[in-house]
Amino acid sequence: MTDRLWYVSYGSNLLRERFHTYLTGSDERSEFGAHPPAPTASPPTAERWLWIDHALYFAGVSRRWTGASAFVSTTVDPANRSVGRGYLIERAQFAHLASVENVVAAVDIGATETLAIGQWSQLTVDREGESFRGKYDALLRLPDIDGRSAFTLTSSTVREPGEPSSRYLSTIRRGLLGADLDLDVDAYLYAAIERSMQITSAHRGSSSTAARCSPTTEKQ
């Protein structure tokens, strides 16, 4: 078992300051609200901007951002790549991030040891009957970065249609403006918003059970 892995963000955590609140913790006075600190607050040992072959879209409702949240499709889609920012962090820090993203006390990320590239696994999340818990319950393995495993978190199901708030988009935009990529930020975000309606409409009638029945197939 390796001590470090790459966590690849694609939403508000594209902004370094926002991501770091998951490590250091923050209180309600923070721009990003209250977060419990990670087991260790050590910063990432490396960072990397990259493209991932999974489509970005917005869906559901975020209590923190008061609008739709960002997700990437679990399906490999090279025609609709998303910008990612990788952070090389400790496994314990990633487990902490997964628990905070899902608004639960702890999440078992043991599947990081068995997933093949392109596969995803549904995390076991105790939602306690609350719909705001467990939104990021899919652990998706991405291609390795510099010989180390890379992962992101997304949803195992496509949630209801929704629009991201201006504050949320502003945070994502601030992150993207720092990317060392050839990117028209506004066009990229507009395309993702347009794509969101197509993705959520296509899945509106599908059942959650069907969407979760084969979580470790390469192109689910």
Side-chain angles (χ1 to χ4, degrees):
M1 180 182 295
T2 57
D3 180 55
R4 290 185 179 270
L5 52 75
W6 286 93
Y7 159 63
V8 179
S9 63
Y10 52 80
S12 62
N13 285 338
L14 292 170
L15 182 65
R16 181 189 288 114
E17 301 94 307
R18 195 276 183 275
F19 167 71
H20 275 232
T21 62
Y22 286 92
L23 305 182
T24 63
S26 58
D27 59 30
E28 287 293 350
R29 294 170 296 177
S30 164
E31 176 185 359
F32 308 113
H35 291 78
T40 63
S42 56
T45 53
E47 296 183 22
R48 178 74 57 82
W49 287 99
L50 66 155
W51 291 94
I52 61 175
D53 290 344
H54 296 268
L56 175 69
Y57 68 97
F58 299 93
V61 180
S62 166
R63 295 194 309 166
R64 183 178 304 280
W65 299 105
T66 64
S69 300
F71 300 99
V72 288
S73 172
T74 54
T75 303
V76 175
D77 185 1
N80 290 294
R81 298 191 302 164
S82 300
V83 176
R85 187 172 196 170
Y87 301 98
L88 186 59
I89 59 176
E90 299 171 6
R91 285 180 56 85
Q93 291 176 322
F94 181 60
H96 169 77
L97 183 147
S99 66
V100 176
E101 287 281 36
N102 284 293
V103 200
V104 294
V107 172
D108 181 0
I109 61 164
T112 54
E113 294 300 308
T114 58
L115 282 177
I117 293 171
Q119 290 185 332
W120 67 275
S121 178
Q122 187 175 349
L123 298 172
T124 300
V125 177
D126 182 4
R127 292 177 171 78
E128 301 178 9
E130 301 283 2
S131 61
F132 63 84
R133 302 184 196 276
K135 288 194 300 184
Y136 290 91
D137 65 343
L139 175 68
L140 173 63
R141 183 168 178 187
L142 302 171
D144 293 353
I145 301 174
D146 296 338
R148 289 183 181 266
S149 301
F151 300 89
T152 195
L153 298 168
T154 188
S155 177
S156 65
T157 60
V158 177
R159 295 172 176 268
E160 68 272 20
E163 292 189 8
S165 67
S166 59
R167 184 167 67 96
Y168 188 46
L169 284 176
S170 175
T171 302
I172 297 174
R173 181 180 287 108
R174 285 162 59 194
L176 288 169
L177 288 173
D180 54 355
L181 301 170
D182 183 12
L183 177 70
D184 182 329
V185 171
D186 289 329
Y188 171 78
L189 290 174
Y190 177 77
I193 293 171
E194 289 291 297
R195 182 186 309 117
S196 300
M197 293 307 300
Q198 299 172 7
I199 291 176
T200 54
S201 296
H203 288 77
R204 198 174 301 174
S206 64
S207 69
S208 296
T209 300
R212 294 176 180 171
C213 64
S214 56
T216 55
T217 54
E218 185 169 354
K219 294 190 177 182
Q220 187 268 351

